[in-house]
Amino acid sequence: MTSTERIAIGAAALLGVVACAGAAGPAAASHAATPAADATGAAECTLRVPTPDDAERAEPGDVVCFTADLADERLVITHGGTAERPITYAGDGAAVDGITIEADHVVVEGYRAERPEAPGVVMEGDGITLRGVTVTSPEGGDGDGIRFFGDELRILDNVVTDTENTEGRHADCMQTYSDDSPPSRNVLIEGNRCEGVDNMGLMAEGPNDGEGDGEGTTSDFVIRDNWFETLDASQALMFEDVQNVTITGNTFAAPTHHAIGLAIGSTGAHVGENEYDPGIGYEVGIDESSLPGYEGPEPGGEP
C-alpha cells in the first residue's frame, strides 16, 4: 500500500467510513491510520480482512477485524506486533470454533467459542493478552478451556463454562505445564469466571515437577478477582514447581476439599483476602518443599 493510499483511507476512517463490522463487510482489506476507542472502550478496526490468512498485512498497532464468517473454523493467530505496539484481533462477539495463538505481542478479544475442540483456547508466545473471550463446553482431548505458555501473558475477563471430566478427561478451566512447551512467567489472571468446571480452575505445573523434561522456570503469577466454581476436584487451584504466586481477591464458590494446593517447590506464594465457600475443608494445602517464603492463612494440611 502506498503512503498516499494509507493517508486517504485514514481520512475516511476519521469520518466514520471505516468501522468494525464483525463478520460483515467487504471482501477487500480496509486499512485505517489510527485506532480510536468507542463508547465501550473497545478499539475500532484499522484493518478489515476476510480471514486470518490475510492478517499478514497487519502492522504493529493495528486493530484487525475479520469480515468472513468464522463460526465453523478455528481462529489461528500467527502474526504479531511489537511489545510497544501489539496487534489487536477484535471479535466484537463473533463466533469461532476455538482459538490458537502462536504469535508474540497480540491482543485477542471479544470472541465466543461454543463446543470447540479442546483446549478451547491455546496461547503460546510472549506478550499475549486474551480478553473478553467465552468458551463453552470444550470437547475432546482433556477438555480444558484455556491453555497458556510463554512470558508476559494476560488472561483477563474471560468466561469458561461447562468443562466435563467424561471419558477420563481432567477438564480444567485453565492449565499450563512445561513438559514439551515453554514455561510460563509473568502471568496475570484477572477478572475471569470459571463456571461449572468439573476439574480445577487452574492447574499450573513447572518444568521440575517430575513429569517431563522441561527447561526454565515457571514463576511470577498474579491471580486476582476471579470466580472459581470447581465441581469435581480436590482443590480449585493447584501449583507444582511454580514460584512466586500471588492469589488475592478471588471467590472460591464450590465446596472443594481445600481451595489452593502448593507442592513440589512452589515457594514464595502470597495468599490473602479471598472468599471461600463454607464447605471448603481448608484454604491452603502445602507441602514442606513449598513453605519457604509462604505468606497467607495457616495451612490446613497437605496439598
Side-chain angles (χ1 to χ4, degrees), residues 85-265:
R85 302 190 69 198
I87 293 175
T88 297
Y89 294 88
D92 193 27
V96 294
D97 191 19
I99 300 172
T100 297
I101 306 168
E102 298 175 337
D104 298 334
H105 309 303
V106 297
V107 177
V108 178
E109 63 183 16
Y111 291 93
R112 55 187 175 87
E114 297 183 7
R115 298 192 175 278
E117 184 71 18
V121 178
V122 178
M123 307 164 54
E124 184 169 336
D126 297 339
I128 299 173
T129 295
L130 182 75
R131 179 168 59 211
V133 168
T134 298
V135 177
T136 304
S137 300
E139 300 180 331
D142 243 8
D144 294 336
I146 299 170
R147 285 186 182 172
F148 58 92
F149 312 95
D151 195 1
E152 296 291 345
L153 305 179
R154 304 289 179 265
I155 302 173
L156 311 174
D157 302 319
N158 305 287
V159 177
V160 176
T161 61
D162 301 326
T163 71
E164 297 182 358
N165 277 349
T166 55
E167 299 179 0
R169 298 186 184 106
H170 301 277
D172 301 313
C173 180
M174 291 175 268
Q175 185 183 45
T176 188
Y177 51 85
S178 298
D179 294 353
D180 300 308
S181 303
S184 297
R185 298 181 299 272
N186 303 307
V187 179
L188 173 62
I189 298 174
E190 181 176 39
N192 302 282
R193 186 175 182 89
C194 298
E195 181 177 347
V197 170
D198 269 3
N199 217 49
M200 286 177 274
L202 172 63
M203 178 69 210
E205 299 169 282
N208 301 302
D209 70 342
E211 295 189 8
D213 298 321
E215 298 180 355
T217 302
T218 294
S219 66
D220 299 290
F221 286 30
V222 175
I223 301 164
R224 67 187 179 210
D225 300 336
N226 303 284
W227 195 88
F228 297 108
E229 183 187 44
T230 50
L231 305 179
D232 192 23
S234 296
Q235 62 280 311
L237 306 180
M238 185 67 203
F239 302 90
E240 296 180 352
D241 184 41
V242 181
Q243 291 81 52
N244 304 328
V245 175
T246 298
I247 305 167
T248 184
N250 302 284
T251 298
F252 296 92
T256 52
H257 182 265
H258 54 286
I260 301 163
L262 299 164
I264 314 179

Side-chain angles (χ1 to χ4, degrees), residues 1-52:
M1 178 178 288
T2 66
S3 59
T4 301
E5 290 172 326
R6 185 176 290 277
I7 291 171
I9 294 174
L14 293 175
L15 292 173
V17 175
V18 179
C20 181
S30 297
H31 210 143
T34 305
D38 64 19
T40 66
E44 293 183 354
C45 308
T46 61
L47 176 65
R48 295 190 296 168
V49 293
T51 69

